[in-house]
Amino acid sequence: MPHILTQLHKAIPSFIFFHPRVSLSLSSFLLAANNFLLSPPALEDRETPVSFEMATTRMDLDGRPIKPITICMIGAGGFIGSHLCEKLMSETPHKVLALDVYNDKIKHLLEPDSLPWAGRIQFHRLNIKHDSRLEGLIKMADLTINLAAICTPADYNTRPLDTIYSNFIDALPVVKYCSENNKRLIHFSTCEVYGKTIQSFLPKDSPLRQDPAYYVLKEDTSPCIFGSIEKQRWSYACAKQLIERLVYAEGAENGLEFTIVRPFNWIGPRMDFIPGIDGPSEGVPRVLACFSNNLLRREPLKLVDGGQSQRTFVYIKDAIDAVLLMIENPDRANGHIFNVGNPNNEVTVRQLAEMMTKVYTKVSGEPALESPTIDVSSKEFYGEGYDDSDKRIPDMTIINKQLGWNPKTSLWDLLDSTLTYQHRTYAEAIRKAMVKPTAS
Ligand SMILES: NC(=O)c1ccc[n+]([C@@H]2O[C@H](COP(=O)([O-])OP(=O)(O)OC[C@H]3O[C@@H](n4cnc5c(N)ncnc54)[C@H](O)[C@@H]3O)[C@@H](O)[C@H]2O)c1
Ligand SMILES: O=c1ccn([C@@H]2O[C@H](COP(=O)(O)OP(=O)(O)O[C@H]3OC[C@@H](O)[C@H](O)[C@H]3O)[C@@H](O)[C@H]2O)c(=O)[nH]1
């Protein structure tokens, strides 16, 4: 650890200082400048190794120089964690203690030792369920970000106990250690805490269905509407809701400095796994990986209960910009719950399947199947106890006001870059896996 601390000091960049009494209009300008500086091409899109140049003019939204900090990131080896680590290593001077049971998705950041950020990221393989090192690692950091969770819907109704333990019980010590040691916490919750919209309970012909007041999801006013207990789909949402309430209460009663993030379907490269290639053959990942797997194997895409549910999808790289703003602007982010999504990218699951089919045809050069989709019941696909959110449009008022963040990438563009990655990463492996051994 002392070695890492020395490296941290070496990484401190020089900053341009501004007058401390910065006006709001200047802060909007700084936000735009920051966004510009923080948006070089994505790592996986680059052909050549990344050249690491620390921007010398990085400052927060209020014109103050950003001081390097140490971040304890739990669940750093997952989809969101891997993109956040990449961003922090390539564009900031911050140091990361990366905790997870797996590190495959961040291996490229850990090895070799000659990487420009070597010494600023340290991987700790541990399970937060039972590891006495957790409190010490939280104490060593200025900020803890908790991403660890079981968060694939196929698990919610089939492994409800694991789901509840993972999303509530296992997160408890993290909240406790942060509160007791006066450490800031960014906790990852979910848009699923909203459950179903009020709109879904209105009569089909009600004119109120057109009124956004009945479906747009607002952090401070929308209710959390779940199904009955036997609909175990809601075990995840309910556990996430209770941990949100606990974090919020620690803030109110004990002064915990916290931010709660509610991601609305963040998607992009490295999300989940492709069954039979880098995950179990019988595993059911989230929809992006399910549909990618179908396209790669030239199978029809399975539409659960007709694919009528609606979602808004946001590109992981846009969403990571929002998280970085939270990390570097604690005065603006503390005490808030933020929706992070793209209200302009709304589709039904059926429309998503159609668009992914078109994009994949373009990316792979392979013609689409004659029948590109097939209907399947939720009972058949997910089993007993499944239920669904009907519609998820995030209200953006709070994140706009506090952090000036807006998503940039259209659904077509984000699918284009993501499916290009999926094709490049998996097409050959799938082809080999699908070649049946011939009888001799
Ligand atoms: N991706 C999304 O669109 C989305 C949407 C809503 C909420 N979220 C939330 O964001 C967080 C991260 O999601 P993700 O998409 O990156 O999921 P992910 O499954 O890719 O990442 C979670 C990581 O946590 C790790 N982990 C789980 N339990 C652990 C434990 N006990 N000890 C150590 N590590 C453990 C896993 O190994 C995994 O690497 C989760 O809390 C999830 O509920 C994500
Ligand atoms: O092959 C498939 C997979 C999924 N689906 C449908 O596609 C929709 C989206 O499914 P996802 O697997 O992405 O999961 P959901 O959007 O329902 O939940 C997700 O939301 C936010 C996070 O908290 C979690 O990552 C997850 O719970 C659902 O309506 C699902 O039924 C299909 O029609 N076919």
Side-chain angles (χ1 to χ4, degrees):
M1 211 49 224
H3 162 68
I4 293 195
L5 290 173
T6 321
Q7 293 290 332
L8 173 63
H9 284 289
K10 281 188 197 154
I12 297 175
S14 54
F15 291 96
I16 292 177
F17 284 79
F18 276 74
H19 193 279
R21 267 181 249 131
V22 175
S23 71
L24 260 183
S25 58
L26 176 55
S27 82
S28 314
F29 164 76
L30 293 171
L31 168 63
N34 238 15
N35 283 343
F36 175 76
L37 284 166
L38 299 181
S39 307
L43 279 192
E44 62 257 35
D45 300 333
R46 291 170 172 144
E47 302 280 57
T48 46
V50 193
S51 80
F52 176 69
E53 263 177 60
M54 190 78 73
T56 52
T57 51
R58 297 183 74 260
M59 59 208 76
D60 71 16
L61 295 176
D62 296 299
R64 295 175 297 224
I66 294 165
K67 293 195 189 101
I69 57 167
T70 299
I71 300 168
C72 173
M73 196 190 300
I74 306 169
F79 164 57
I80 296 176
S82 71
H83 285 274
L84 187 53
C85 286
E86 213 165 74
K87 183 90 174 175
L88 290 165
M89 289 305 108
S90 62
E91 296 175 30
T92 81
H94 307 308
K95 193 169 58 154
V96 173
L97 307 172
L99 281 52
D100 207 306
V101 273
Y102 305 112
N103 68 7
D104 312 33
K105 295 184 185 184
I106 52 170
K107 268 230 161 87
H108 62 293
L109 300 172
L110 303 173
E111 294 162 4
D113 284 350
S114 54
L115 285 168
W117 48 78
R120 283 203 293 117
I121 182 164
Q122 190 182 69
F123 178 67
H124 297 261
R125 192 179 300 278
L126 62 84
N127 186 334
I128 59 165
K129 270 183 195 301
H130 42 67
D131 199 303
S132 57
R133 289 174 292 170
L134 180 62
E135 183 171 11
L137 290 162
I138 288 175
K139 278 186 180 172
M140 279 162 73
D142 304 290
L143 161 69
T144 293
I145 301 180
N146 190 5
L147 294 150
I150 288 178
C151 53
T152 39
D155 292 318
Y156 307 161
N157 57 315
T158 54
R159 299 169 57 204
L161 285 178
D162 286 342
T163 301
I164 294 166
Y165 271 78
S166 168
N167 284 284
F168 181 67
I169 306 284
D170 300 347
L172 278 177
V174 177
V175 182
K176 181 171 161 259
Y177 296 146
C178 286
S179 189
E180 287 173 357
N181 295 293
N182 296 318
K183 299 292 182 180
R184 188 178 167 219
L185 171 66
I186 298 182
H187 184 81
F188 269 71
S189 180
T190 173
C191 58
E192 287 215 9
V193 295
Y194 294 109
K196 300 178 186 227
T197 63
I198 301 172
Q199 187 209 58
S200 69
F201 294 91
L202 294 171
K204 288 271 177 282
D205 56 354
S206 167
L208 293 178
R209 280 184 165 257
Q210 309 312 317
D211 184 344
Y214 294 92
Y215 60 80
V216 172
L217 303 168
K218 295 189 180 203
E219 297 93 329
D220 50 355
T221 55
S222 294
C224 303
I225 309 175
F226 304 149
S228 66
I229 301 300
E230 63 211 31
K231 295 287 184 198
Q232 297 205 72
R233 155 58 183 261
W234 303 110
S235 57
Y236 167 76
C238 195
K240 286 281 202 197
Q241 189 200 149
L242 190 53
I243 197 77
E244 273 202 29
R245 290 192 185 275
L246 186 106
V247 169
Y248 197 90
E250 278 291 347
E253 290 189 31
N254 295 327
L256 172 69
E257 291 184 343
F258 74 88
T259 302
I260 291 170
V261 186
R262 291 183 180 164
F264 279 64
N265 292 75
W266 300 7
I267 61 176
R270 294 200 292 273
M271 185 168 197
D272 298 338
F273 58 91
I274 296 298
I277 302 298
D278 52 5
S281 330
E282 67 288 357
V284 181
R286 285 169 286 188
V287 70
L288 174 81
C290 284
F291 285 176
S292 300
N293 184 40
N294 298 144
L295 290 164
L296 284 155
R297 292 178 191 274
R298 295 190 62 70
E299 301 165 347
L301 280 59
K302 292 181 178 158
L303 297 179
V304 172
D305 292 340
Q308 292 312 304
S309 298
Q310 291 170 292
R311 294 288 187 273
T312 51
F313 292 95
V314 64
Y315 193 33
I316 181 70
K317 290 176 198 305
D318 289 354
I320 290 294
D321 288 346
V323 182
L324 188 57
L325 286 167
M326 292 173 208
I327 293 172
E328 299 192 326
N329 293 275
D331 294 347
R332 287 167 175 260
N334 283 346
H336 287 281
I337 300 177
F338 291 116
N339 285 344
V340 181
N342 188 336
N344 304 318
N345 280 350
E346 191 185 32
V347 278
T348 63
V349 175
R350 180 177 289 277
Q351 288 166 334
L352 174 73
E354 288 162 0
M355 197 185 282
M356 283 182 69
T357 304
K358 274 194 199 135
V359 172
Y360 193 71
T361 300
K362 171 185 164 260
V363 161
S364 66
E366 294 166 11
L369 297 179
E370 227 169 81
S371 309
T373 59
I374 185 170
D375 283 351
V376 54
S377 74
S378 54
K379 192 167 173 197
E380 201 182 321
F381 193 79
Y382 288 113
E384 204 68 61
Y386 181 74
D387 199 359
D388 207 356
S389 300
D390 52 303
K391 187 174 176 76
R392 286 184 187 157
I393 301 191
D395 181 86
M396 304 297 288
T397 312
I398 296 182
I399 194 158
N400 251 298
K401 178 167 171 261
Q402 294 303 119
L403 302 172
W405 178 82
N406 277 305
K408 297 179 252 183
T409 314
S410 70
L411 187 56
W412 178 277
D413 287 351
L414 76 85
L415 289 176
D416 195 336
S417 53
T418 305
L419 291 179
T420 301
Y421 170 88
Q422 302 286 61
H423 183 67
R424 202 172 55 214
T425 310
Y426 294 108
E428 187 56 19
I430 294 260
R431 197 189 58 75
K432 284 189 183 149
M434 288 179 74
V435 175
K436 293 203 174 87
T438 47
S440 53

